Amino acid sequence: MNERQNSYLFTSESVTEGHPDKICDQISDAILDALLAKEAMLEESGYISPTGVPASLKNVRCACETLVTTGLVVVTGEIRSESYIDVPEIVRGVVRDIGYDRAKFGFDADTCGVINAIHGQSPDIAQGVDESWEVQHGMAQEDSYDSIGAGDQGMMFGYACNETKTLMPMPIYLAHRLSERLSAVRKDGTLPLLRPDGKTQVSVRYVDGKPTQVEKVVVSTQHSEKVESGELYDQLLEHVIKPVFKAEGVVLADDAEIYVNPTGRFVVGGPMGDSGLTGRKIIVDTYGGMGRHGGGAFSGKDCTKVDRSAAYAARWVAKNIVAAGLADRCEIQLAYAIGLAKPISIMVDTFGTAHVDEAMIERAVNEVFDLRPAAIIDELELRRPIYRLTSNYGHFGRELPEFTWERTDKVDALRAACGL
């Protein structure tokens, strides 16, 4: 392999919470969280609906989609719940928290229009989730984890590598840290002339498959019309870019190319500058393009939707494999059929970096992890109102108490299953 093949740049991007698509993700997940919180209260109180259905978190179904454009938010999708939530109030609260609370910012929580077009879940879909194919055909195991089927068909991927402390690829990890910092200095008053919309991008040099240095950085941020581009460059370099790389201990190349608002002006932003949709930033949400993506979005979907819960489980599996030292890189693919409890396939790919036989790792995964939806939901505690927190700065790579799929609690079991 020649030098050119051994060395390459890999780039990933992130966006801030004021980006139009991310506004939509946050609204959809805030609605899901509100449903889960309200249903939990009703369940605890013993509430029974007029139709005789008791409130239960197990009954909640949510597939919520949001659209934003100039002065307007449209919320649609399918929901099943015994509880009532005030959708317009939730929408306005999210928009206000993000920082769009003045008309001069291009979007205003108090004056934007809100259209609620949510309707009930299809009974054809519900029946396969409420009672799995295994239950309907008398093939269920004695445990309760065969009780519900997957909420849809499809394939989901999880990925991990040993490039960063959270076992995430370096480009997307750094891009997220820049976006987080961009929002933090806006909100804490360090750079008050910034506005909520923004994007970051990081290009990392890899040699022999290992990251060596950051060579290119792009930061685009909405700002007040009073700010000059040269002034903004200096402020972002001092308060955003350099602090992030110093904190992460990452080498920024001496001749690194740093671009701030390459067009020279970014005053019109948010929903006024571009429309937004739930689920349009799926690569930002996962691994920045380093790992494959099954195609399904996460935000607004309850845990019976394997698009979300199985993708979280796949990350959990991959991260534990790398944390256990079984491989330097690992990608997991899970595939499901709607209404079936058991995944129809499980794939493990270590890209030639395995330290034990790859077939042994696959057997260990099947032994250690139960990847039926009900088991995933129970093990990862996915019926909690935690989802709005996931909708910014990546669903993976943040080791917070709510992010149970980031735990490395199966390391010892995996190593034992591999005879180590």
Side-chain angles (χ1 to χ4, degrees):
M1 186 177 289
N2 62 37
E3 183 179 352
R4 183 177 180 85
Q5 290 173 312
N6 276 326
S7 176
Y8 59 89
L9 278 176
F10 194 93
T11 302
S12 295
E13 74 158 352
S14 176
V15 298
T16 65
E17 59 204 62
H19 185 280
D21 296 325
K22 274 293 152 202
I23 296 173
C24 295
D25 288 343
Q26 290 166 89
I27 289 171
S28 294
D29 273 338
I31 289 170
L32 171 59
D33 281 351
L35 283 170
L36 292 172
K38 190 69 172 290
E39 198 80 14
M41 291 174 58
L42 293 178
E43 182 179 36
E44 186 176 348
S45 70
Y47 174 81
I48 297 178
S49 75
T51 60
V53 178
S56 171
L57 284 168
K58 292 183 178 180
N59 291 334
V60 172
R61 301 286 183 268
C62 182
C64 179
E65 313 288 343
T66 304
L67 159 73
V68 297
T69 187
T70 304
L72 180 64
V73 180
V74 180
V75 183
T76 185
E78 302 80 45
I79 285 177
R80 187 180 77 179
S81 174
E82 296 303 316
S83 61
Y84 167 79
I85 58 171
D86 189 332
V87 170
E89 182 181 18
I90 293 167
V91 168
R92 296 186 194 283
V94 170
V95 174
R96 189 177 298 108
D97 288 346
I98 291 169
Y100 286 116
D101 54 4
R102 300 181 191 176
K104 69 177 183 178
F105 294 168
F107 203 67
D108 180 13
D110 295 315
T111 61
C112 67
V114 179
I115 296 175
N116 180 2
I118 292 172
H119 57 86
Q121 185 188 40
S122 161
D124 294 346
I125 296 174
Q127 70 178 5
V129 179
D130 293 339
E131 191 174 76
S132 71
W133 183 90
E134 288 88 342
V135 170
Q136 294 179 34
H137 291 79
M139 299 176 66
Q141 297 181 23
E142 290 185 3
D143 65 57
S144 62
Y145 290 148
D146 270 340
S147 59
I148 68 171
D152 203 351
Q153 71 172 51
M155 69 285 190
M156 301 81 208
F157 288 95
Y159 183 85
C161 60
N162 58 8
E163 295 176 12
T164 60
K165 59 188 177 184
T166 60
L167 306 185
M168 285 288 285
M170 185 175 287
I172 187 65
Y173 177 80
L174 292 176
H176 282 321
R177 302 294 77 78
L178 287 172
S179 289
E180 281 183 323
R181 180 71 180 169
L182 202 56
S183 292
V185 297
R186 170 177 62 87
K187 290 184 171 182
D188 69 14
T190 302
L191 296 179
L193 295 178
L194 297 185
R195 300 294 180 254
D197 196 358
K199 286 186 173 185
T200 63
Q201 188 169 284
V202 176
S203 300
V204 175
R205 172 67 61 184
Y206 283 77
V207 177
D208 294 329
K210 300 294 184 182
T212 58
Q213 62 183 13
V214 175
E215 293 192 5
K216 302 177 193 292
V217 177
V218 182
V219 178
S220 296
T221 179
Q222 186 185 10
H223 58 84
S224 164
E225 60 185 8
K226 299 177 182 178
V227 179
E228 298 293 333
S229 60
E231 176 190 0
L232 189 62
Y233 181 97
D234 293 340
Q235 289 185 348
L236 291 181
L237 188 63
E238 178 183 354
H239 296 292
V240 176
I241 298 170
K242 286 184 177 180
V244 165
F245 290 118
K246 182 179 180 181
E248 297 299 334
V250 173
V251 176
L252 187 62
D254 293 336
D255 59 348
E257 299 175 28
I258 299 175
Y259 301 94
V260 171
N261 285 4
T263 66
R265 179 180 168 87
F266 189 178
V267 173
V268 179
M272 188 176 181
D274 193 8
S275 61
L277 290 169
T278 298
R280 201 158 59 178
K281 284 289 176 281
I282 57 175
I283 301 304
V284 171
D285 285 343
T286 54
Y287 309 101
M290 186 71 79
R292 286 174 282 195
H293 195 292
F298 301 154
S299 290
K301 295 178 180 176
D302 75 85
C303 55
T304 66
K305 312 293 190 296
V306 283
D307 280 345
R308 183 170 217 162
S309 54
Y312 288 0
R315 162 65 177 172
W316 181 42
V317 175
K319 186 173 183 179
N320 274 272
I321 288 171
V322 174
L326 304 181
D328 296 335
R329 294 171 61 202
C330 182
E331 185 174 71
I332 303 294
Q333 186 199 53
L334 305 176
Y336 293 84
I338 189 168
L340 270 68
K342 295 183 179 66
I344 60 173
S345 74
I346 301 173
M347 180 274 289
V348 178
D349 186 355
T350 62
F351 308 96
T353 70
H355 300 295
V356 299
D357 184 73
E358 200 168 85
M360 185 181 293
I361 297 175
E362 190 165 314
R363 286 195 296 272
V365 168
N366 280 283
E367 178 182 327
V368 172
F369 293 92
D370 188 339
L371 295 169
R372 291 173 291 176
I376 293 169
I377 291 166
D378 187 41
E379 185 79 17
L380 298 182
E381 305 170 73
L382 296 182
R383 286 197 170 99
R384 296 170 298 150
I386 59 170
Y387 295 105
R388 184 179 168 190
L389 186 60
T390 70
S391 58
N392 288 317
Y393 315 120
H395 292 245
F396 310 122
R398 291 189 290 156
E399 295 176 331
L400 304 173
E402 296 84 357
F403 287 48
T404 50
W405 49 92
E406 292 295 318
R407 298 184 305 209
T408 52
D409 54 345
K410 300 295 185 181
V411 165
D412 292 342
L414 282 170
R415 290 181 61 82
C418 290
L420 301 178

